Amino acid sequence: MNLPHAPSPAVAAPARRSPFRQSLLVRLSIMFALGGLLVAAILVIGNRVLDDAKQRLENTVIRQVQPLAATHRLQTRSNELRTLELELPTVRDVFALPQYAERMQVEIEAMTAELAPFLVALASTRPDDARRLEKHWANYRGDLQEVIQLAGKMDLAAAEAITSTRTRTAHAAISSILRELVSATEQAATEAYRQAREEQQRQQRFFLMLSLGGFLFLAAGLVVFARSLSRRLRTVRDAATRLAAGEEREPIAISGDDEISDLGQAFNAMQEIVVSREHSLRAAQEELEDRVAQRTQALATANARLWMLSQAVEQNPIGVLIASADRRVEYANAAYVRVTGRPADTQLASSLPEAADPERSREVDAEFRAALLACEDWDGERRSCRPDGSEYWEHLRLVAMRTEQGRPEHLLLMREDITERRTQEEKVAYQAYYDSLTALPNRTLALDRLQQATGRAAREGTMCAVMFIDLDNFKQINDTIGHVAGDELLCQASVRLRSVIRAEDTVARLGGDEFLIILGVAQASDADAVATKIIQAFTPPFQIEGREFTASPSIGVSLFPDDGNAPSVLLRNADLAMYEAKDAGRNTFRFFNQKIHDDSVARMEIERELRGALDRGELQVHFQPLVAARDGRLVGAEALLRWTHPVLGRVPPDRFIPIAEQSGLIVSIGSWVLDQACGHAACWREACGGDFVIAVNVSPRQFATPGLVDTIRACVERHAIPRNQLEIEVTEGLLIRNPGEVREAMLALEAIGVTVALDDFGTGYSSLSYLRAFPFHTIKIDRSFIRDLSDDAEDCALVVAAIRMARALGLRVVAEGVETEVQSRFLAHQESDVLQGYLFGPPIPPEDFVADWVHNPSRRAFSS
Amino acid sequence: MPSRRFLVPLLAAALCAAGALVAPDARAGEQAYKAVAAARKLIASGQVPAGSRLTLGFKQGNVNAFLGTDLALQKEWENLTGIVLDVHIVPQQPIRETLRGTPDIDIAVARNHEYPDLLADGLITDIGPFMAEYGYRFDDNDSDGYIRPELQSKVGERTVAIPADGDVVLLYLRRDLMENAQEQAAFRKTYGRALAAPKTWAEYEDLVRFFHRPAQGLYGAAEERDEEGAWMFWMPRFLSSAAPHAELFDEQMRPRLDMPGAIAATENYIALVKYSPPGITDAGRNYNFTLPLFAQGKAFATMNTIAAARMFNTEGSAVRGKFAAVPLPGGRVDNRTVRHNTLIYGNNLVIPKSARNARLAFLYAMWLTDPDVSTRSIGVAGGFADPYRWNHLRDARIRKIYTPEALETFSGEWAVTQPAGTGLRGDAQYLAALDRNLTAAARGEIGAQEAMNRTSSEWEQITDKLGRAEQIRQWAEFRRQFGNRK
């Protein structure tokens, strides 16, 4: 094992030094002292030479420039005076004259003060010019004083006479002398400058020669000294090279008695130590390299992250601008330029670029400015304008990036073009509040407008009117010519409605063919007039796809505050009044009144009572016999609903069934009736010989409810109703609404053995196409035709035709409302199949029907 | 070395202390100090950014008066507050047109009679709330208060302008001629009374007639008869035609121009034309035509504001030391003389409704019209604005510029000065009709009676068009401002 710090003998015992030895320090000091003295001498001499030349040149320039500058100042003042005196006569307001006079006086005094020393200096070199200049200035000053006097006198014409003649001459003479002086001074200056430059160049050459000699002497001394050092230093260098290369490591011998010989000995000692430390250094180096590699890897990772973040900013579609705390812009990405339409400024301005709508942007701009000046976070939106004139919505976000101490260091301004988003929002808002077909306000906006209108009317003590409009025969037109044409009709109707009201009033479409109008009115008669105009506006037919259609409006009107305060109440009352208009024959209008209100209340009362009627057992199913026309034999019964209320008494079916239909109660009640009818029919069938047809009315509302066919099927199965012994009676209204679905339901009923009868035949459209398109089994001729059979020949003909037609189509015919023997015989003669009416019996409770018909065979065979 | 943030308050404090030491009145400087302090508070609170700009819409002649010689006052305001004053030179036209066409002006100059139209058109700001907020009021104390501020600042109960000028009418006569013994003798021989300043409009006409010597290059009168502003020289004659004063309308806004006094006033107005230089009724022959004639010694009499005294007292004026500014004549009613004056041109400060810095503009106006600051503003040789505070009349510089005698007459005339114009919404329309018919009469196209009849008819139409009920209300409000101050 080596001992790295064990000194060799040479190192341990250094050679004894001579007390007089010439060390390198001494020798170098002597050389540098000599060299320094030489350089200092050269610099002192050179500096003196250059200063002398520079001073001479400056003096030359100053001697010439000062007169030139003074001449120029005089020329400027002279011209200023000339301008003032020329402007003075053109003054339009005499009260402004003192301003000019005062300024002229100030300029004259300044010119005099400036000219005095100039003339003294000029007199020493060009006495003639000095005398001429003094004389002309005296003349000019005199003229100007006269002009000032005339200004005080407000005699502008006289002043102009002087300025256009005398002062022009005087000023021209002064200008001419000054120009001559300038020219002469410039010539003298050029010559003096040339001489000074030549002297300066000569002295520069002398200085260069002196410097060159000094440096050559110094260089020679250095070469001699360097050669003596070089040889011994090479020995040490070669040994060091070998040591570094790991080659021969023998001690070296250096001659002399100076620091270099000391260096040789020290090198030998160092060589020993170096060898011993190499090992430890190598180990340390390896460890260090490991650390460097780790740091390098970390740095590369950080750089990659930094690059990634910078790319994220650079590629960001949001315009990003970074400025220092003093608002100097340091960075702006490409999107910033794209969003704003112009390059970023070098300074983040306290005001935003031009706004598309300055009035609406004022508040946002002020907030932005305040935030920017306070270095606070802020964000907002505004509509801006690019330099090319295009407008856009932008979202601005200002973020102050702070140091750990909270001091704002940078400002980050993000500008995002949100035009598309705002457009989308506006579109969504529009769709939320406007009907897409007619572009009229929809129900939501209409209710809002109504709220505003009532609020305004309440504040101003005025009234407003609400008109609920329904197109009378829109559905028929829509079904006849299709939805596209129906939509066109609605559009044209909206245009007509819009045309009859004022711009500040509202027309809205509530849905379907229902419109709402909100008017501000002074009195009820104003609404009356508008409603009349609406009726008139709908008088001309609508032109749709080359065809003409007539659609009349039914209008219900309610008034604020007479008919209610809340918008919902006004709307409901207008709706009620509209139904009143419908009931009054359509194509008319009705104001909401007490009767409508009472009827509505009564309807609501009935509806409320009807809701519990089933549970309270107030409903009953009555049965009216159906007899064969041929022999009067009982063939079945029609189930009819009856309601006996403990207070209201017996409520007529035509009063409560429409309410049940409207409220939807008919679904549950209808199911109950069906079940009751089928149950009784099942009980009575045996007693009636196995054939007993039970007819049950089914309303359109029941048909619209999913699962009707399943309900009927379950009922048929529950009560084991044979095929063709349950007949469902429907009206034509059902067929109009959803013909496709109804047809499918009828076919499904036919499949389970349930027949379908068309009730009240003859009262509606009685379209033959219905009979062909739907799988009916029976038609029931309405009682209104049967009632007048004996008196009205036309009714006879219609009934006969209906029976013939049904026969031809293979349908069974039931005649309703038979009350006389004559009618009965006629119908039997015409081969009607079944008869129904008071002649045979009224609708009666099931227990009475059992007693009167089921257990009374003679009655069953009443007519036979 | 103190930093800037300490230097400015120190400087302001030093200025205020110096002002307090040299000012003749304890209140002088207080108004300016409050305005500067309030402006700085606005800046410190961030309500107004430092270095904000106030845009001043001044006419060319206003610049020296409002910004000082070599812009000294402008620099002083900017040094004190850091608020930059940006002067826009606006054209010589009714301020209503300027404000409509130039929306970004913060402070502008308006004439007294223009206020009602400016307010009705929504062009100027009601500064009452600012006055209340900052504790200002237009004090009229006789030490350094505003002179009759109620005539120069209000429309009804609303304060709309800051007084910055004092344009009552004075009559200028050639004193040298009146003191000439030969002239005095000749006059006494002709009219049987001493040659003296006229007490009535009839005496004035006698004087003018007496001195009308066109062959000698001397005209009796150089009183403006230009259509634009004709009402200004008719109104004093009209007001003094009845006691206590004539009124343009009755309580139902029916014109009272058919009264004998109104006809007489118009006849006197017309009568002076024949003693005037040729072309006096030509369009554009305003004071730029009449004042030089008087200044050159070519006219015996003229009428104008106190500003004319400054012009006549200028070095070079032929009448310097030879003219006298005397009170306006009056009318003889029930054996006593009724005298009235009125405010004519005027350069008062209003804040446009569209001003971006209305609050700052108000503070600047209050600083500018402070007793001390305004004295320096008025004491400028080439300014347009004339004295409007009592302390202005005692200032040595101002007395030298205007002459003490003229200022004495000026001071006295305020007591009989009535508000300017009609005081009505539509003032410009009413006065334009009056101007047009007065000029037609002055040109001899129609007589005095016809001029008044036509004016009455046109005024009725204007009243009906603007709404009689509202005009009646405004007229009743305006009438309450009439009356003399002793």
Side-chain angles (χ1 to χ4, degrees), chain A residues 92-99 101-102 148-156 362 369-370 373, chain B residues 61 64 92 287-288 291-292 295-296 304 307-308 310-312 314-318 381-382 384:
Chain A
R92 295 185 183 282
D93 193 325
V94 295
F95 286 116
L97 283 173
Q99 288 179 29
E102 192 180 332
I148 291 173
Q149 290 282 330
L150 290 168
K153 206 172 172 182
M154 298 187 229
D155 192 348
L156 299 183
R362 194 186 304 277
R369 192 176 301 112
L373 292 175
Chain B
N64 263 19
Q92 292 276 6
Y287 58 76
N288 285 320
L291 294 185
Q296 291 161 25
N304 208 293
R310 186 180 56 207
M311 303 297 291
F312 301 150
T314 310
E315 190 177 350
S317 162
F384 260 40

Side-chain angles (χ1 to χ4, degrees), chain B residues 105-108 123-127 130 160 162 349-355 357-359 361-363 365:
Chain B
I105 291 176
D106 291 314
I107 194 160
L123 292 172
I124 56 173
T125 306
D126 180 354
I127 60 170
F130 287 147
V160 298
I162 299 102
L349 301 174
V350 292
I351 299 170
K353 203 80 169 178
S354 58
N357 294 304
R359 185 177 293 274
F362 169 75
L363 294 173

Side-chain angles (χ1 to χ4, degrees), chain A residues 712-730:
Chain A
I712 295 173
R713 181 188 291 115
C715 190
V716 166
E717 289 173 355
R718 187 161 56 249
H719 298 291
I721 304 296
R723 293 182 70 82
N724 299 330
Q725 291 201 14
L726 172 60
E727 186 155 77
I728 299 299
E729 294 187 7
V730 299

Side-chain angles (χ1 to χ4, degrees), chain A residues 74 187 218 339 414 491 599 784:
Chain A
L74 288 171
Q187 273 187 343
L218 193 61
V339 170
M414 289 171 277
C491 290
D599 289 350
S784 59

Side-chain angles (χ1 to χ4, degrees), chain B residues 177-189 195 210 213:
Chain B
L177 295 177
M178 293 181 66
E179 289 175 349
N180 184 292
Q182 289 180 347
E183 299 289 3
Q184 287 177 343
F187 187 83
R188 181 175 288 282
K189 188 178 176 183
L195 176 56
F210 179 73
R213 298 158 191 173

